[in-house]
């Protein structure tokens, strides 16, 4: 280097240092990004928007997360995926989680954020087929997909409402034929999530005044619904990634609640076969009935009432023989929740 170049080099030194900092920090930042595999609890539909919105708006990226989302085929698939470590986090029915952990005590799976503080379990029937209230199911044909989340709740619902199950024809059917069979009169009623069966039946052209919606939570069930569930080994190794996921999800869920019609576009652009008006109605129904509930307004999004969860476990025990009955703390871990002020229902 020639001596006369030194003054020029001195003038450029700050820029050189800045360039070196950027060059060295870029790889470091890339290394900080955590890849996170998320599993839904079923097929892609309106309510899935609350998980897709934070992905589309970059909220996960803001938390240095690279999140992939997969659909599921049954109520236990998300739990099996998370327990095996093929997925790190997901969405699953907490009652299925309670049973799964009882059958697989070593499974590293726990709920960390309650989404459906009122469960969507329902029986949807036809008034024209003689359905009016729980006891009217006796002598009728009830369709129920056995791999769905509502199926295990049927014995409990029947017990609480004094239904003689020997007088009910319970037909195991596939989910895709549930609404068509009910609309065609081949079934008198069907088990399922309210926002699925009710909206699907309307979409089939069944008049609203002929649809009887019995939400199980309105008939004695104290159960919670679906929650965000995590692999506890992953959570122990990367607690900040889990907290970041919940922060991003909460932002996306609030955006979804504020503008469900816009949020539904996140589903529609990924599924060309979806009907916009159907998925918007499905999403609005789940927000109204299952997410923005009196309990959520009281405790904030994501939290649970431990006494209620204990009572729900006691209810499950009425029809399910536990090997080792769990406590609320065995099922739900509140330590990853965002601060209460952020979880407030506006």
């Amino acid at each position: 280097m020639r001596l006369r170049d030194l003054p020029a080099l001195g003038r450029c030194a700050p820029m050189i240092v800045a360039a070196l900092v950027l060059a060295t920090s870029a790889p470091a930042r890339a290394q900080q990004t955590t890849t996170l595999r998320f599993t839904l609890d079923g097929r892609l539909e309106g309510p899935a928007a609350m998980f897709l919105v934070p992905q589309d708006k970059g909220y996960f990226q803001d938390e240095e997360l690279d999140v992939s989302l997969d659909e599921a085929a049954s109520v236990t698939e998300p739990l099996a995926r998370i327990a095996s470590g093929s997925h790190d986090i997901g969405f699953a029915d907490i009652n299925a989680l309670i049973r799964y952990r009882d059958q697989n005590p070593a499974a590293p799976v726990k709920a960390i954020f309650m989404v459906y503080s009122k469960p969507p379990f329902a029986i949807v029937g036809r008034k024209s087929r003689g359905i009016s209230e729980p006891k009217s199911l006796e002598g009728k044909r009830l369709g129920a997909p056995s791999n769905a989340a509502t199926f295990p709740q049927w014995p409990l619902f029947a017990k609480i409402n004094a239904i003689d199950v020997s007088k009910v024809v319970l037909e195991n059917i596939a989910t895709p034929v549930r609404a068509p069979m009910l609309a065609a009169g081949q079934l008198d009623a069907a088990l399922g999530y309210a926002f699925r069966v009710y909206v699907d039946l309307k979409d089939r052209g069944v008049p609203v005044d002929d649809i009887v919606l019995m939400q199980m939570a309105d008939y004695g069930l104290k159960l919670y619904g679906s929650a965000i569930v995590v692999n506890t080994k992953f959570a122990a190794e990367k607690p900040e990634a889990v907290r970041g996921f919940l922060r991003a999800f909460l932002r996306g869920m609030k955006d979804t609640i504020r503008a469900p019609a816009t949020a539904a576009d996140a589903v529609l652009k990924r599924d060309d076969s979806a009907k916009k008006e159907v998925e918007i109605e499905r999403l609005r129904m789940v927000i109204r009935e299952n997410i923005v509930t009196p309990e959520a307004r009281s405790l904030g999004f994501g939290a649970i009432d431990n006494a209620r969860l204990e009572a729900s476990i006691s209810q499950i025990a009425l029809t399910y023989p536990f090997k080792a009955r769990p406590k609320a703390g065995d099922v739900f871990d509140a330590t990853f929740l965002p601060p209460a002020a952020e979880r407030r229902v506006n």
Side-chain angles (χ1 to χ4, degrees):
M1 179 180 292
R2 292 172 296 182
L3 292 176
R4 62 188 175 87
D5 289 333
L6 287 175
L9 180 61
R11 290 194 298 271
C12 294
M15 290 184 286
I16 294 171
V17 171
L20 288 171
V21 169
L22 286 173
T24 56
S25 65
R29 181 175 178 83
Q31 290 171 2
Q32 290 173 2
T33 299
T34 300
T35 299
L36 196 151
R37 295 155 297 179
F38 182 90
T39 173
L40 293 167
D41 64 338
R43 61 184 174 86
L44 203 61
E45 57 186 352
M50 57 187 159
F51 298 106
L52 301 175
V53 166
Q55 189 178 54
D56 290 352
K57 289 192 172 185
Y59 296 163
F60 290 136
Q61 292 91 323
D62 290 346
E63 299 291 345
E64 297 183 335
L65 299 174
D66 179 12
V67 179
S68 61
L69 294 95
D70 296 313
E71 296 176 294
S74 70
V75 65
T76 57
E77 187 170 22
L79 300 171
R81 285 173 169 176
I82 295 169
S84 71
S86 73
H87 290 68
D88 309 299
I89 196 165
F91 191 47
D93 170 42
I94 196 169
N95 308 287
L97 170 64
I98 290 168
R99 293 182 176 89
Y100 186 87
R101 284 178 55 89
D102 186 58
Q103 295 159 14
N104 304 274
V109 189
K110 221 168 192 180
I112 56 172
F113 188 109
M114 182 55 61
V115 181
Y116 295 164
S117 51
K118 178 181 177 182
F121 309 134
I123 295 176
V124 181
R126 302 277 303 277
K127 191 181 298 182
S128 59
R129 305 289 299 178
I131 303 300
S132 57
E133 42 86 31
K135 284 289 282 183
S136 68
L137 292 167
E138 294 180 357
K140 300 298 192 298
R141 186 175 294 276
L142 178 64
S146 61
N147 65 344
T150 309
F151 186 82
Q153 321 315 328
W154 162 246
L156 178 57
F157 177 82
K159 186 178 184 68
I160 292 172
N161 290 280
I163 300 169
D164 186 344
V165 294
S166 69
K167 296 179 180 179
V168 181
V169 178
L170 187 63
E171 186 171 341
N172 183 12
I173 59 171
T175 300
V177 303
R178 178 174 52 193
M181 290 182 71
L182 191 51
Q186 296 170 297
L187 297 170
D188 303 307
L191 290 172
Y193 279 2
F195 60 80
R196 287 181 184 146
V197 188
Y198 179 81
V199 176
D200 286 348
L201 204 54
K202 279 183 61 182
D203 186 48
R204 286 271 163 184
V206 177
V208 172
D209 59 6
D210 189 34
I211 302 175
V212 177
L213 174 60
M214 289 183 277
Q215 300 209 52
M216 292 186 177
D218 297 334
Y219 289 87
L221 262 71
K222 298 177 181 177
L223 310 184
Y224 277 102
S226 295
I228 294 176
V229 177
V230 73
N231 179 292
T232 54
K233 293 179 181 177
F234 176 84
E237 292 170 0
K238 299 184 178 180
E240 285 310 312
V242 175
R243 292 189 179 94
F245 179 90
L246 292 186
R247 284 193 297 268
F249 166 73
L250 183 59
R251 290 174 68 190
M253 186 176 74
K254 287 186 172 184
D255 287 353
T256 300
I257 291 168
R258 282 191 290 266
T262 301
D265 288 337
V267 174
L268 299 170
K269 74 180 185 181
R270 290 172 171 86
D271 184 358
D272 294 337
S273 66
K275 296 180 180 178
K276 184 171 185 175
E277 65 279 5
V278 169
E279 299 311 327
I280 290 174
E281 181 175 7
R282 217 186 294 282
L283 180 53
R284 283 177 171 156
M285 187 173 184
V286 79
I287 290 169
R288 180 180 67 249
E289 298 291 336
N290 309 115
I291 297 176
V292 184
T293 64
E295 181 169 306
R297 291 187 182 281
S298 172
L299 301 178
F301 289 127
I304 63 160
D305 178 336
N306 280 333
R308 180 186 163 193
L309 184 55
E310 293 282 0
S312 75
I313 292 170
S314 295
Q315 275 202 335
I316 291 171
L318 294 176
T319 55
Y320 174 81
F322 280 108
K323 295 176 183 177
R325 186 163 154 179
K327 297 291 185 182
D330 299 325
V331 178
F332 191 92
D333 181 355
T335 61
F336 295 98
L337 289 174
E342 295 176 20
R343 295 186 291 101
R344 187 175 299 117
V345 180
N346 298 326

